[in-house]
């Protein structure tokens, strides 16, 4: 009996996660022809790139957010075109959400509401909208498989447990330490944007690279881990691991620690989400153990990299506090990248905004967006001071 191909929808198909998803599918279909078919993609305004993807993979549907780009794609008559970001969900078995920002929230909520598997790379879905997303996870058939190296690692490590609720002692997220590992607060008083963008391990966009340099990225991942796995914050730890080969670990009550290792690549988490609960036949991130060398670990410097503990504080506060922190951080990082804020003031802005948190709890996507707007307004006030 021939197995039916896995039907994949890719939201944000021309971004980093989207293009790497195509690379994974291309490699897997070369090894096992017809294993994956792409039923729909979505883009913001990159119509030409989306048309090229549709031509190569015979994709019948393109969702385009920008009205002008949508008209141009529709005018070709080559594919079905839609404006609704959820239109690509119905015909898919798994939806990869690689959309950046709040534009990805609707894809997350509607995929789960439809009882589908969600390969989630959109951070806002859990950091800012966790209280809205959580109830939808109980929909029959709905499941989140994280497309993120650390949370994918935890997902894999937790599969070794018979009863994770009873057996897990700690989740341990690994952090590269970013470009400023080992530097003191005094050393970092006048670092440049160029300095902050020199990540030693991963090649990422400017915003997330700056977040890595402040350890805010790891702090936000702590919030995501709590939302994904329900583990209390007191049982989620961070350890600096410069080689970025161990992507995270789970320590169990009997003292055993299970770790997931691979060379740094986002294709492994993407492939894991596509094939789950199975695994791809195509290897990504394979380790050459004879040449790997040492694996080092150290505690994070929480005094210098204060954003880590700010994230813990926002997560423990709950409600819209993580959304406020995320918004404040985005505003501060943007100001830093524009040369209007010093690197060590990013944490100060975030702390000032959190101090004014209104204690709200979001019930809808609109509530989350409103919380984001409120926090950005306050962040702008802080920045102007």
């Amino acid at each position: 009996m021939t197995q039916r191909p896995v039907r994949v929808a890719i939201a944000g198909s021309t971004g980093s996660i989207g293009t790497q998803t195509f690379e994974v599918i291309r490699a897997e279909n070369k090894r096992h022809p017809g294993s994956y078919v792409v039923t729909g993609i979505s883009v913001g305004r990159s119509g030409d790139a989306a048309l090229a993807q549709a031509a190569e993979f015979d994709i019948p549907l393109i969702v385009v957010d920008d009205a002008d780009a949508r008209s141009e794609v529709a005018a070709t008559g080559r594919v079905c075109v839609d404006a609704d970001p959820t239109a690509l969900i119905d015909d898919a078995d798994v939806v990869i959400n690689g959309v950046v920002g709040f534009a990805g929230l609707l894809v997350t909520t509607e995929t789960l509401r439809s009882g589908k598997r969600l390969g989630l790379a959109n951070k806002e879905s859990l950091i800012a909208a966790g209280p809205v997303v959580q109830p939808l996870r109980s929909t029959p058939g709905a499941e989140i498989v994280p497309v993120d190296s650390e949370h994918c690692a935890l997902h894999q490590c937790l599969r070794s447990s018979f009863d994770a609720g009873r057996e897990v002692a700690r989740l341990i997220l690994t952090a590269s330490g970013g470009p400023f590992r080992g530097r003191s607060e005094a050393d970092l008083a006048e670092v440049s944007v160029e300095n902050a963008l020199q990540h030693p391990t991963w090649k990422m966009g400017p915003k997330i690279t700056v977040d890595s340099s402040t350890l805010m990225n790891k702090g936000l991942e702590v919030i995501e881990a709590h939302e994904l796995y329900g583990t209390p914050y007191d049982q989620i730890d961070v350890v600096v691991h410069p080689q970025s080969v161990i992507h995270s670990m789970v320590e169990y009550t009997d003292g055993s620690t299970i770790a997931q290792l691979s060379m740094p690549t986002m294709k492994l988490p993407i492939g894991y989400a596509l094939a789950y609960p199975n695994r791809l036949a195509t290897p990504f991130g394979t380790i050459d153990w004879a040449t790997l060398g040492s694996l080092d670990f150290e505690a994070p410097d929480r005094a210098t990299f204060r954003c880590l503990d700010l994230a813990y504080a926002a997560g423990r506060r709950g409600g819209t506090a993580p959304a406020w922190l995320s918004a404040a951080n985005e505003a501060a990082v943007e100001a830093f990248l524009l040369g209007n804020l010093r690197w060590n003031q990013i944490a100060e802005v975030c702390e000032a905004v959190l101090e004014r948190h209104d204690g709200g709890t979001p019930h809808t996507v609109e509530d989350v967006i409103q919380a984001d707007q409120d926090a950005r307004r306050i962040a702008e006030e802080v920045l102007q001071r």
Side-chain angles (χ1 to χ4, degrees), residues 28-47:
E28 189 71 1
N29 280 349
K30 183 177 181 180
R31 186 180 288 259
H32 296 295
S35 297
Y36 292 88
V37 296
V38 182
T39 57
I41 58 177
S42 73
V43 296
R45 59 178 62 91
S46 305

Side-chain angles (χ1 to χ4, degrees), residues 61 63 82-90 106-111 114:
L61 171 66
V63 175
D82 207 306
D84 180 2
T86 68
L88 46 71
I89 295 171
D90 288 345
L106 196 57
V107 174
T108 291
T109 57
E110 294 312 303
T111 299
S114 298

Side-chain angles (χ1 to χ4, degrees), residues 11 65 85 97 99-108 122 124 369:
D65 182 59
N97 186 357
V99 177
V100 176
F102 285 99
L105 279 182
L106 196 57
V107 174
T108 291
N122 175 269
E124 286 76 8
I369 294 172

